[in-house]
Coordinates of all heavy atoms in Angstrom, one line a residue:
I132 N -21.2 -42.2 11.9 CA -20.7 -41.3 12.9 C -21.8 -40.2 13.1 O -22.2 -39.5 12.2 CB -19.4 -40.7 12.6 CG1 -18.4 -41.8 12.5 CG2 -19.0 -39.6 13.5 CD1 -17.0 -41.4 12.0
P133 N -22.3 -40.0 14.4 CA -23.3 -39.0 14.6 C -22.8 -37.6 14.4 O -21.7 -37.3 14.7 CB -23.7 -39.3 16.0 CG -22.5 -39.9 16.6 CD -21.9 -40.7 15.5
R134 N -23.7 -36.7 13.9 CA -23.3 -35.3 13.7 C -23.3 -34.5 15.0 O -22.6 -33.5 15.1 CB -24.3 -34.7 12.7 CG -24.1 -35.3 11.3 CD -25.1 -34.8 10.3 NE -24.8 -33.5 9.8 CZ -23.8 -33.1 8.9 NH1 -23.0 -34.1 8.6 NH2 -23.7 -31.9 8.5
W135 N -24.1 -34.9 15.9 CA -24.1 -34.2 17.2 C -24.0 -35.3 18.3 O -24.3 -36.4 18.2 CB -25.5 -33.5 17.4 CG -25.6 -32.4 16.4 CD1 -26.3 -32.5 15.2 CD2 -25.0 -31.2 16.4 NE1 -26.2 -31.3 14.5 CE2 -25.4 -30.5 15.2 CE3 -24.1 -30.5 17.2 CZ2 -24.9 -29.2 14.9 CZ3 -23.7 -29.2 16.9 CH2 -24.1 -28.6 15.7
G136 N -23.5 -34.8 19.5 CA -23.3 -35.7 20.6 C -22.1 -35.3 21.4 O -21.9 -34.1 21.6
V137 N -21.4 -36.3 21.8 CA -20.3 -36.1 22.7 C -19.3 -35.1 22.1 O -18.7 -34.3 22.8 CB -19.6 -37.4 23.0 CG1 -18.3 -37.2 23.8 CG2 -20.5 -38.4 23.8
F138 N -19.1 -35.1 20.8 CA -18.0 -34.3 20.2 C -18.5 -33.0 19.6 O -17.8 -32.4 18.8 CB -17.3 -35.2 19.1 CG -16.7 -36.4 19.7 CD1 -16.9 -37.6 19.0 CD2 -16.0 -36.4 20.8 CE1 -16.4 -38.8 19.5 CE2 -15.4 -37.6 21.3 CZ -15.6 -38.8 20.7
S139 N -19.7 -32.6 19.9 CA -20.2 -31.4 19.3 C -19.4 -30.2 19.6 O -19.1 -29.4 18.7 CB -21.7 -31.1 19.8 OG -22.5 -32.1 19.3
L140 N -19.0 -30.0 20.8 CA -18.1 -28.9 21.2 C -16.8 -28.9 20.4 O -16.4 -27.8 19.9 CB -17.9 -28.8 22.7 CG -17.1 -27.7 23.2 CD1 -17.8 -26.3 22.9 CD2 -16.9 -27.8 24.7
A141 N -16.2 -30.0 20.3 CA -14.9 -30.1 19.6 C -15.1 -29.8 18.1 O -14.3 -29.1 17.5 CB -14.3 -31.5 19.7
S142 N -16.2 -30.2 17.6 CA -16.5 -29.9 16.2 C -16.7 -28.4 16.0 O -16.2 -27.8 15.0 CB -17.7 -30.6 15.7 OG -17.5 -32.0 15.7
L143 N -17.4 -27.7 16.9 CA -17.6 -26.3 16.8 C -16.3 -25.5 16.9 O -16.1 -24.6 16.1 CB -18.6 -25.8 17.8 CG -20.0 -26.3 17.7 CD1 -20.8 -25.9 18.9 CD2 -20.7 -25.6 16.5
V144 N -15.4 -25.9 17.8 CA -14.1 -25.3 17.9 C -13.3 -25.5 16.6 O -12.7 -24.5 16.1 CB -13.4 -25.7 19.2 CG1 -11.9 -25.3 19.2 CG2 -14.1 -25.3 20.4
H145 N -13.3 -26.7 16.1 CA -12.6 -27.0 14.9 C -13.1 -26.2 13.7 O -12.3 -25.6 13.0 CB -12.7 -28.5 14.6 CG -12.0 -28.9 13.4 ND1 -12.6 -29.0 12.1 CD2 -10.7 -29.2 13.1 CE1 -11.7 -29.4 11.2 NE2 -10.5 -29.5 11.8
D146 N -14.4 -26.2 13.6 CA -15.0 -25.4 12.5 C -14.7 -23.9 12.6 O -14.4 -23.3 11.5 CB -16.5 -25.6 12.4 CG -16.8 -27.1 11.9 OD1 -15.9 -27.8 11.5 OD2 -18.0 -27.4 12.0
Y147 N -14.7 -23.4 13.8 CA -14.3 -22.0 14.0 C -12.9 -21.7 13.5 O -12.6 -20.8 12.8 CB -14.5 -21.5 15.4 CG -13.8 -20.2 15.7 CD1 -14.4 -19.0 15.3 CD2 -12.6 -20.2 16.4 CE1 -13.8 -17.8 15.5 CE2 -12.0 -19.0 16.7 CZ -12.6 -17.8 16.2 OH -11.9 -16.6 16.5
C148 N -12.0 -22.6 14.0 CA -10.5 -22.4 13.7 C -10.3 -22.6 12.2 O -9.5 -22.0 11.6 CB -9.7 -23.4 14.5 SG -9.6 -23.0 16.3
F149 N -11.0 -23.6 11.6 CA -10.9 -23.9 10.2 C -11.4 -22.7 9.4 O -10.7 -22.4 8.3 CB -11.7 -25.2 9.9 CG -11.1 -26.0 8.9 CD1 -10.1 -26.9 9.2 CD2 -11.6 -26.0 7.6 CE1 -9.5 -27.7 8.2 CE2 -11.1 -26.9 6.6 CZ -10.0 -27.7 6.9
G150 N -12.4 -22.1 9.8 CA -13.0 -21.0 9.0 C -12.4 -19.7 9.2 O -12.1 -18.9 8.2
D151 N -12.1 -19.3 10.5 CA -11.6 -18.0 10.8 C -10.1 -17.9 11.0 O -9.6 -16.8 10.9 CB -12.3 -17.5 12.0 CG -13.8 -17.1 11.8 OD1 -14.2 -17.2 10.6 OD2 -14.5 -16.8 12.8
R152 N -9.5 -19.0 11.2 CA -8.0 -19.1 11.4 C -7.5 -18.0 12.3 O -6.8 -17.0 11.9 CB -7.3 -19.0 10.0 CG -7.7 -20.1 9.1 CD -6.8 -20.2 8.0 NE -7.5 -21.1 7.0 CZ -7.1 -21.2 5.8 NH1 -6.0 -20.6 5.3 NH2 -7.7 -22.0 5.0
P153 N -7.9 -18.1 13.6 CA -7.5 -17.1 14.6 C -6.0 -17.0 14.8 O -5.3 -18.0 14.4 CB -8.2 -17.5 15.9 CG -8.4 -19.0 15.7 CD -8.6 -19.2 14.2
Y154 N -5.5 -15.9 15.3 CA -4.1 -15.8 15.6 C -3.8 -16.5 16.9 O -4.5 -16.5 17.9 CB -3.8 -14.3 15.7 CG -3.7 -13.6 14.4 CD1 -4.9 -12.9 14.0 CD2 -2.6 -13.6 13.6 CE1 -4.8 -12.2 12.8 CE2 -2.6 -13.0 12.4 CZ -3.7 -12.3 11.9 OH -3.7 -11.6 10.7
L155 N -2.6 -17.0 17.0 CA -2.1 -17.7 18.2 C -1.3 -16.6 19.0 O -1.1 -15.5 18.5 CB -1.1 -18.8 17.8 CG -1.8 -19.9 17.0 CD1 -0.7 -20.9 16.5 CD2 -2.9 -20.6 17.8
S156 N -0.9 -17.0 20.2 CA -0.2 -16.0 21.0 C 1.1 -15.5 20.5 O 1.5 -14.4 20.8 CB 0.1 -16.6 22.4 OG 0.9 -17.8 22.3
D157 N 1.7 -16.2 19.5 CA 2.9 -15.7 18.9 C 2.7 -14.8 17.7 O 3.6 -14.4 17.0 CB 3.9 -16.9 18.6 CG 3.2 -17.8 17.5 OD1 2.1 -17.6 17.1 OD2 3.9 -18.8 17.2
G158 N 1.4 -14.5 17.4 CA 1.1 -13.6 16.3 C 0.9 -14.3 15.0 O 0.6 -13.7 14.0
M159 N 1.1 -15.6 14.9 CA 0.9 -16.4 13.7 C -0.5 -16.9 13.6 O -1.1 -17.2 14.7 CB 1.9 -17.6 13.6 CG 3.3 -17.2 13.6 SD 3.8 -16.3 12.2 CE 3.7 -17.6 11.0
R160 N -1.1 -17.1 12.5 CA -2.4 -17.7 12.3 C -2.3 -19.2 12.6 O -1.3 -19.9 12.3 CB -3.0 -17.5 10.9 CG -3.4 -16.1 10.7 CD -4.4 -16.1 9.5 NE -4.8 -14.8 9.2 CZ -5.9 -14.2 9.7 NH1 -6.7 -14.9 10.5 NH2 -6.2 -13.0 9.4
I161 N -3.3 -19.8 13.1 CA -3.4 -21.2 13.4 C -3.2 -22.0 12.1 O -3.8 -21.6 11.1 CB -4.6 -21.6 14.2 CG1 -4.5 -23.0 14.8 CG2 -5.9 -21.5 13.3 CD1 -5.5 -23.4 15.8
S162 N -2.5 -23.1 12.1 CA -2.3 -23.9 10.9 C -3.3 -25.0 10.8 O -4.0 -25.3 11.8 CB -0.9 -24.5 10.9 OG -0.8 -25.5 11.9
R163 N -3.4 -25.6 9.7 CA -4.4 -26.7 9.5 C -4.0 -27.8 10.4 O -4.9 -28.5 11.1 CB -4.4 -27.2 8.1 CG -5.4 -28.3 7.9 CD -5.5 -28.7 6.4 NE -6.2 -29.9 6.4 CZ -5.7 -31.0 5.9 NH1 -4.5 -31.1 5.4 NH2 -6.4 -32.2 5.9
Q164 N -2.8 -28.2 10.5 CA -2.3 -29.3 11.4 C -2.7 -29.0 12.8 O -3.2 -29.9 13.5 CB -0.8 -29.5 11.2 CG -0.3 -30.7 12.1 CD 1.1 -31.0 11.9 OE1 1.8 -30.2 11.2 NE2 1.6 -32.0 12.5
H165 N -2.4 -27.8 13.3 CA -2.7 -27.5 14.7 C -4.2 -27.5 14.9 O -4.7 -27.9 16.0 CB -2.2 -26.1 15.1 CG -0.7 -26.1 15.3 ND1 0.1 -25.3 14.6 CD2 0.1 -26.8 16.1 CE1 1.4 -25.5 14.9 NE2 1.4 -26.4 15.9
T166 N -5.0 -27.0 14.0 CA -6.5 -27.1 14.1 C -6.9 -28.5 14.2 O -7.8 -28.8 15.1 CB -7.1 -26.4 12.9 OG1 -6.7 -25.0 12.8 CG2 -8.6 -26.5 12.9
D167 N -6.4 -29.4 13.4 CA -6.8 -30.8 13.5 C -6.4 -31.5 14.7 O -7.1 -32.3 15.3 CB -6.3 -31.5 12.2 CG -7.0 -31.0 10.9 OD1 -8.0 -30.3 11.0 OD2 -6.5 -31.4 9.9
V168 N -5.2 -31.2 15.2 CA -4.7 -31.8 16.4 C -5.5 -31.3 17.6 O -5.8 -32.1 18.6 CB -3.2 -31.5 16.6 CG1 -2.7 -31.9 18.0 CG2 -2.4 -32.3 15.6
L169 N -5.9 -30.0 17.6 CA -6.7 -29.5 18.7 C -8.1 -30.2 18.7 O -8.6 -30.5 19.7 CB -6.9 -28.0 18.4 CG -7.9 -27.3 19.3 CD1 -7.4 -27.3 20.8 CD2 -8.1 -25.8 18.9
Y170 N -8.6 -30.5 17.5 CA -9.8 -31.2 17.4 C -9.7 -32.6 18.0 O -10.6 -33.0 18.8 CB -10.1 -31.3 15.9 CG -11.4 -32.1 15.5 CD1 -12.6 -31.7 16.1 CD2 -11.4 -33.0 14.5 CE1 -13.8 -32.4 15.7 CE2 -12.5 -33.7 14.1 CZ -13.7 -33.3 14.7 OH -14.9 -34.0 14.3
L171 N -8.7 -33.3 17.7 CA -8.5 -34.7 18.3 C -8.3 -34.6 19.8 O -9.0 -35.3 20.6 CB -7.2 -35.3 17.7 CG -6.9 -36.7 18.3 CD1 -8.0 -37.7 18.0 CD2 -5.6 -37.2 17.6
A172 N -7.5 -33.6 20.3 CA -7.3 -33.5 21.7 C -8.6 -33.2 22.5 O -8.9 -33.7 23.5 CB -6.3 -32.4 22.0
A173 N -9.4 -32.3 21.9 CA -10.7 -31.9 22.5 C -11.7 -33.1 22.5 O -12.4 -33.4 23.5 CB -11.3 -30.8 21.7
M174 N -11.7 -33.9 21.4 CA -12.5 -35.1 21.4 C -12.1 -36.1 22.4 O -13.0 -36.7 23.1 CB -12.6 -35.7 20.0 CG -13.3 -34.9 19.0 SD -13.6 -35.8 17.4 CE -11.9 -35.9 16.8
E175 N -10.8 -36.3 22.6 CA -10.3 -37.3 23.6 C -10.7 -36.8 25.0 O -11.1 -37.6 25.8 CB -8.8 -37.5 23.4 CG -8.5 -38.3 22.2 CD -7.0 -38.4 21.9 OE1 -6.2 -37.6 22.5 OE2 -6.6 -39.3 21.1
A176 N -10.6 -35.5 25.2 CA -10.9 -35.0 26.5 C -12.4 -35.1 26.8 O -12.8 -35.5 27.9 CB -10.5 -33.5 26.7
L177 N -13.2 -34.9 25.8 CA -14.7 -35.0 26.0 C -15.1 -36.4 26.2 O -16.0 -36.7 27.0 CB -15.4 -34.4 24.7 CG -15.3 -32.9 24.7 CD1 -15.8 -32.4 23.3 CD2 -16.2 -32.2 25.8
A178 N -14.4 -37.3 25.5 CA -14.8 -38.8 25.7 C -14.4 -39.2 27.1 O -15.2 -39.9 27.7 CB -14.0 -39.6 24.7
A179 N -13.3 -38.8 27.6 CA -12.9 -39.1 29.0 C -13.8 -38.5 30.0 O -14.1 -39.1 31.0 CB -11.5 -38.7 29.2
E180 N -14.3 -37.3 29.7 CA -15.1 -36.6 30.7 C -16.5 -36.9 30.7 O -17.2 -37.0 31.8 CB -14.9 -35.1 30.5 CG -15.7 -34.2 31.4 CD -15.6 -32.7 31.1 OE1 -14.4 -32.2 31.0 OE2 -16.6 -32.1 30.8
R181 N -17.1 -37.1 29.5 CA -18.5 -37.2 29.4 C -19.1 -38.6 29.2 O -20.3 -38.8 29.3 CB -19.0 -36.4 28.2 CG -18.8 -34.9 28.4 CD -19.4 -34.1 27.3 NE -19.2 -32.7 27.5 CZ -19.7 -31.8 26.8 NH1 -20.4 -32.1 25.7 NH2 -19.5 -30.5 27.1
V182 N -18.2 -39.6 29.0 CA -18.7 -40.9 28.7 C -18.3 -41.8 29.9 O -17.2 -41.9 30.3 CB -18.1 -41.5 27.5 CG1 -18.5 -42.9 27.2 CG2 -18.4 -40.6 26.3
S183 N -19.3 -42.4 30.5 CA -19.1 -43.3 31.7 C -18.8 -44.7 31.2 O -19.4 -45.2 30.2 CB -20.3 -43.3 32.6 OG -21.4 -43.7 32.0
G184 N -18.0 -45.4 31.9 CA -17.6 -46.8 31.6 C -16.4 -46.8 30.7 O -16.3 -46.2 29.6
E185 N -15.4 -47.6 31.1 CA -14.1 -47.6 30.4 C -14.3 -48.1 28.9 O -13.7 -47.6 28.0 CB -13.2 -48.5 31.1 CG -11.8 -48.5 30.5 CD -10.8 -49.4 31.3 OE1 -11.0 -49.6 32.5 OE2 -9.9 -49.9 30.6
R186 N -15.1 -49.2 28.8 CA -15.3 -49.8 27.4 C -15.9 -48.8 26.5 O -15.5 -48.6 25.3 CB -16.1 -51.0 27.5 CG -16.3 -51.7 26.2 CD -17.0 -53.0 26.4 NE -17.2 -53.7 25.1 CZ -17.9 -54.8 25.0 NH1 -18.3 -55.4 26.1 NH2 -18.1 -55.3 23.8
K187 N -17.0 -48.1 26.9 CA -17.6 -47.1 26.1 C -16.7 -45.9 25.8 O -16.7 -45.4 24.7 CB -18.9 -46.6 26.8 CG -19.8 -45.7 25.8 CD -21.1 -45.5 26.4 CE -21.9 -44.7 25.4 NZ -23.3 -44.4 25.8
A188 N -15.9 -45.5 26.8 CA -15.0 -44.4 26.6 C -13.9 -44.8 25.5 O -13.6 -44.0 24.7 CB -14.3 -44.0 27.9
R189 N -13.5 -46.0 25.6 CA -12.5 -46.5 24.6 C -13.1 -46.5 23.2 O -12.5 -46.1 22.2 CB -12.0 -47.9 24.9 CG -10.9 -47.9 26.0 CD -10.1 -49.2 26.0 NE -11.0 -50.4 25.9 CZ -11.4 -51.2 26.9 NH1 -11.0 -50.9 28.1 NH2 -12.1 -52.2 26.7
S190 N -14.4 -46.8 23.1 CA -15.0 -46.8 21.8 C -15.2 -45.4 21.3 O -15.1 -45.1 20.1 CB -16.4 -47.6 21.8 OG -17.3 -46.8 22.6
Q191 N -15.5 -44.5 22.2 CA -15.6 -43.1 21.8 C -14.2 -42.5 21.3 O -14.2 -41.7 20.4 CB -16.1 -42.2 22.9 CG -17.6 -42.5 23.3 CD -18.5 -42.2 22.1 OE1 -18.5 -41.1 21.5 NE2 -19.3 -43.2 21.8
V192 N -13.1 -42.9 22.0 CA -11.8 -42.5 21.5 C -11.5 -43.1 20.1 O -10.9 -42.4 19.3 CB -10.7 -42.9 22.6 CG1 -9.3 -42.7 22.0 CG2 -10.9 -42.1 23.8
A193 N -11.9 -44.3 19.9 CA -11.8 -44.9 18.6 C -12.5 -44.1 17.5 O -12.0 -43.8 16.4 CB -12.2 -46.4 18.6
I194 N -13.8 -43.7 17.8 CA -14.6 -42.9 16.9 C -13.9 -41.5 16.7 O -13.8 -41.0 15.6 CB -16.0 -42.7 17.4 CG1 -16.7 -44.0 17.4 CG2 -16.7 -41.6 16.7 CD1 -18.1 -44.0 18.1
A195 N -13.3 -41.0 17.8 CA -12.6 -39.7 17.7 C -11.5 -39.8 16.7 O -11.2 -38.9 15.9 CB -12.1 -39.2 19.0
N196 N -10.7 -40.9 16.8 CA -9.6 -41.1 15.9 C -10.1 -41.2 14.4 O -9.4 -40.7 13.5 CB -8.8 -42.3 16.3 CG -7.8 -41.9 17.4 OD1 -6.9 -41.2 17.2 ND2 -8.1 -42.4 18.6
V197 N -11.2 -41.9 14.2 CA -11.7 -42.0 12.8 C -12.1 -40.6 12.3 O -11.8 -40.2 11.2 CB -12.9 -42.9 12.8 CG1 -13.7 -42.8 11.5 CG2 -12.5 -44.4 13.0
M198 N -12.8 -39.8 13.2 CA -13.2 -38.5 12.8 C -11.9 -37.6 12.5 O -11.9 -36.8 11.5 CB -14.1 -37.8 13.9 CG -15.4 -38.6 14.0 SD -16.4 -38.1 15.4 CE -16.9 -36.4 14.9
Y199 N -10.9 -37.7 13.3 CA -9.7 -37.0 13.1 C -9.0 -37.3 11.8 O -8.6 -36.4 11.0 CB -8.7 -37.2 14.3 CG -7.3 -36.8 14.0 CD1 -7.0 -35.4 14.1 CD2 -6.3 -37.7 13.7 CE1 -5.7 -35.0 13.8 CE2 -5.0 -37.3 13.4 CZ -4.7 -35.9 13.5 OH -3.4 -35.5 13.2
R200 N -9.0 -38.6 11.5 CA -8.4 -39.0 10.2 C -9.2 -38.5 9.0 O -8.6 -38.2 8.0 CB -8.2 -40.5 10.2 CG -7.2 -41.1 11.2 CD -6.9 -42.5 11.0 NE -6.3 -43.1 12.1 CZ -5.0 -42.9 12.6 NH1 -4.4 -41.9 12.0 NH2 -4.5 -43.5 13.6
A201 N -10.5 -38.5 9.2 CA -11.3 -38.0 8.1 C -11.0 -36.5 7.8 O -10.9 -36.1 6.7 CB -12.8 -38.2 8.4
V202 N -10.9 -35.7 8.9 CA -10.6 -34.3 8.6 C -9.2 -34.1 8.1 O -8.9 -33.2 7.3 CB -10.9 -33.3 9.8 CG1 -12.3 -33.4 10.2 CG2 -10.0 -33.7 11.0
R203 N -8.3 -34.9 8.5 CA -6.9 -34.9 8.0 C -6.9 -35.3 6.5 O -6.2 -34.6 5.7 CB -5.9 -35.8 8.8 CG -5.6 -35.3 10.1 CD -4.9 -33.9 10.1 NE -3.7 -33.8 9.5 CZ -3.1 -32.7 9.0 NH1 -3.7 -31.6 9.2 NH2 -2.0 -32.7 8.4
W204 N -7.6 -36.3 6.1 CA -7.6 -36.8 4.7 C -8.4 -35.9 3.8 O -8.0 -35.7 2.7 CB -8.1 -38.2 4.7 CG -7.2 -39.2 5.2 CD1 -5.8 -39.1 5.4 CD2 -7.5 -40.5 5.7 NE1 -5.3 -40.3 6.0 CE2 -6.3 -41.1 6.2 CE3 -8.7 -41.2 5.8 CZ2 -6.3 -42.4 6.7 CZ3 -8.7 -42.5 6.3 CH2 -7.5 -43.1 6.8
F205 N -9.5 -35.4 4.2 CA -10.4 -34.8 3.3 C -10.6 -33.3 3.6 O -11.3 -32.6 2.8 CB -11.8 -35.4 3.4 CG -11.8 -36.9 3.1 CD1 -12.0 -37.8 4.1 CD2 -11.5 -37.3 1.8 CE1 -12.0 -39.2 3.8 CE2 -11.4 -38.7 1.5 CZ -11.7 -39.6 2.5
G206 N -9.9 -32.7 4.6 CA -10.1 -31.3 4.9 C -9.2 -30.4 4.1 O -9.4 -29.1 4.0
E207 N -8.2 -30.9 3.4 CA -7.2 -30.1 2.7 C -7.9 -29.2 1.6 O -7.6 -28.1 1.4 CB -6.1 -30.9 2.1 CG -5.1 -30.1 1.5 CD -3.9 -30.9 1.0 OE1 -3.9 -32.2 1.1 OE2 -2.9 -30.3 0.6
W208 N -8.9 -29.8 0.9 CA -9.5 -29.1 -0.2 C -10.2 -27.8 0.4 O -10.1 -26.7 -0.2 CB -10.5 -30.0 -0.9 CG -11.2 -29.2 -2.0 CD1 -10.8 -29.0 -3.3 CD2 -12.5 -28.6 -1.9 NE1 -11.7 -28.3 -4.0 CE2 -12.8 -28.0 -3.2 CE3 -13.4 -28.4 -0.9 CZ2 -13.9 -27.3 -3.5 CZ3 -14.6 -27.7 -1.2 CH2 -14.8 -27.2 -2.5
T209 N -11.0 -28.0 1.5 CA -11.7 -26.8 2.0 C -10.7 -25.8 2.6 O -10.9 -24.6 2.4 CB -12.6 -27.3 3.2 OG1 -13.5 -28.3 2.6 CG2 -13.4 -26.2 3.7
W210 N -9.6 -26.3 3.3 CA -8.6 -25.4 3.8 C -8.0 -24.6 2.7 O -7.9 -23.3 2.7 CB -7.6 -26.2 4.5 CG -6.5 -25.3 5.2 CD1 -5.3 -24.9 4.7 CD2 -6.6 -24.8 6.5 NE1 -4.6 -24.2 5.6 CE2 -5.4 -24.1 6.7 CE3 -7.5 -24.8 7.5 CZ2 -5.1 -23.4 7.9 CZ3 -7.2 -24.2 8.7 CH2 -6.0 -23.5 8.9
N211 N -7.6 -25.2 1.6 CA -6.9 -24.6 0.5 C -7.9 -23.6 -0.3 O -7.5 -22.6 -0.8 CB -6.3 -25.6 -0.5 CG -5.1 -26.3 0.2 OD1 -4.5 -25.8 1.1 ND2 -4.8 -27.4 -0.4
K212 N -9.2 -24.0 -0.3 CA -10.2 -23.2 -1.0 C -10.2 -21.8 -0.4 O -10.4 -20.8 -1.2 CB -11.5 -23.8 -0.9 CG -12.6 -23.1 -1.7 CD -13.9 -23.9 -1.7 CE -14.7 -23.6 -0.5 NZ -16.1 -24.1 -0.6
H213 N -10.0 -21.6 0.9 CA -10.1 -20.4 1.5 C -8.7 -19.8 1.9 O -8.6 -18.7 2.5 CB -10.9 -20.5 2.8 CG -12.3 -20.9 2.6 ND1 -13.2 -20.1 2.0 CD2 -13.0 -22.1 2.8 CE1 -14.4 -20.7 1.9 NE2 -14.2 -21.9 2.4
D214 N -7.7 -20.4 1.4 CA -6.3 -20.0 1.8 C -6.0 -18.6 1.3 O -5.3 -17.9 2.0 CB -5.3 -21.0 1.2 CG -4.1 -21.1 2.1 OD1 -4.2 -20.9 3.3 OD2 -3.0 -21.4 1.5
D215 N -6.4 -18.2 0.1 CA -6.1 -16.9 -0.4 C -6.6 -15.8 0.5 O -6.1 -14.7 0.6 CB -6.6 -16.7 -1.8 CG -5.8 -17.6 -2.8 OD1 -4.7 -17.9 -2.5 OD2 -6.4 -17.9 -3.9
E216 N -7.7 -16.0 1.2 CA -8.3 -15.0 2.1 C -7.4 -14.6 3.2 O -7.5 -13.6 3.8 CB -9.7 -15.5 2.6 CG -10.7 -15.8 1.6 CD -11.9 -16.6 2.2 OE1 -12.1 -16.5 3.4 OE2 -12.6 -17.2 1.4
F217 N -6.5 -15.6 3.6 CA -5.7 -15.4 4.8 C -4.3 -15.1 4.6 O -3.5 -14.9 5.5 CB -5.9 -16.6 5.7 CG -7.3 -16.8 6.2 CD1 -8.1 -17.7 5.6 CD2 -7.8 -16.0 7.2 CE1 -9.4 -17.9 6.0 CE2 -9.1 -16.2 7.6 CZ -9.9 -17.1 7.0
R218 N -3.9 -15.1 3.3 CA -2.5 -14.8 3.0 C -2.2 -13.4 3.2 O -3.0 -12.5 2.8 CB -2.1 -15.3 1.6 CG -2.1 -16.8 1.5 CD -1.4 -17.2 0.3 NE -1.4 -18.7 0.3 CZ -1.7 -19.4 -0.8 NH1 -2.0 -18.9 -1.9 NH2 -1.7 -20.7 -0.7
T219 N -1.1 -13.0 3.8 CA -0.7 -11.6 4.0 C 0.5 -11.2 3.2 O 1.2 -12.0 2.8 CB -0.5 -11.3 5.4 OG1 0.5 -12.1 5.9 CG2 -1.8 -11.5 6.3

């Protein structure tokens, strides 16, 4: 899976939310699940917008799903490592 390309913007947004945990409009900090779902939605939108050809777009959506599953499966350690910084 390439580190840069179609999904670079989605990755930057995800990493920002993962690291800084911004507040949502209701005053709560963004959760890990919401951060990861935002990542998937952004990747799917970028695949639809930036990739021409239906077959290639479908393959990009498949790659997006693999990347989403990877952050869901392996991101918990990093999220929990910084969890104490954000507890109030």
Side-chain angles (χ1 to χ4, degrees):
I132 296 175
R134 295 178 74 70
W135 296 100
V137 174
F138 302 132
S139 296
L140 180 60
S142 296
L143 290 171
V144 170
H145 178 265
D146 290 351
Y147 166 74
C148 290
F149 214 79
D151 289 353
R152 301 194 194 167
Y154 287 96
L155 301 173
S156 61
D157 62 1
M159 300 292 292
R160 285 198 183 268
I161 195 166
S162 70
R163 178 172 169 248
Q164 181 179 4
H165 285 122
T166 298
D167 292 346
V168 169
L169 174 64
Y170 181 51
L171 178 61
M174 287 190 295
E175 288 175 344
L177 289 168
E180 179 183 305
R181 296 185 176 184
V182 178
S183 60
E185 184 179 335
R186 184 174 175 182
K187 189 169 184 182
R189 281 196 317 260
S190 70
Q191 292 298 308
V192 169
I194 291 170
N196 279 290
V197 169
M198 293 170 72
Y199 166 76
R200 291 186 196 298
V202 298
R203 287 302 296 160
W204 289 338
F205 302 111
E207 186 172 6
W208 180 83
T209 302
W210 183 268
N211 291 339
K212 184 174 88 169
H213 298 289
D214 209 31
D215 289 337
E216 299 170 22
F217 297 101
R218 289 197 179 133
T219 56

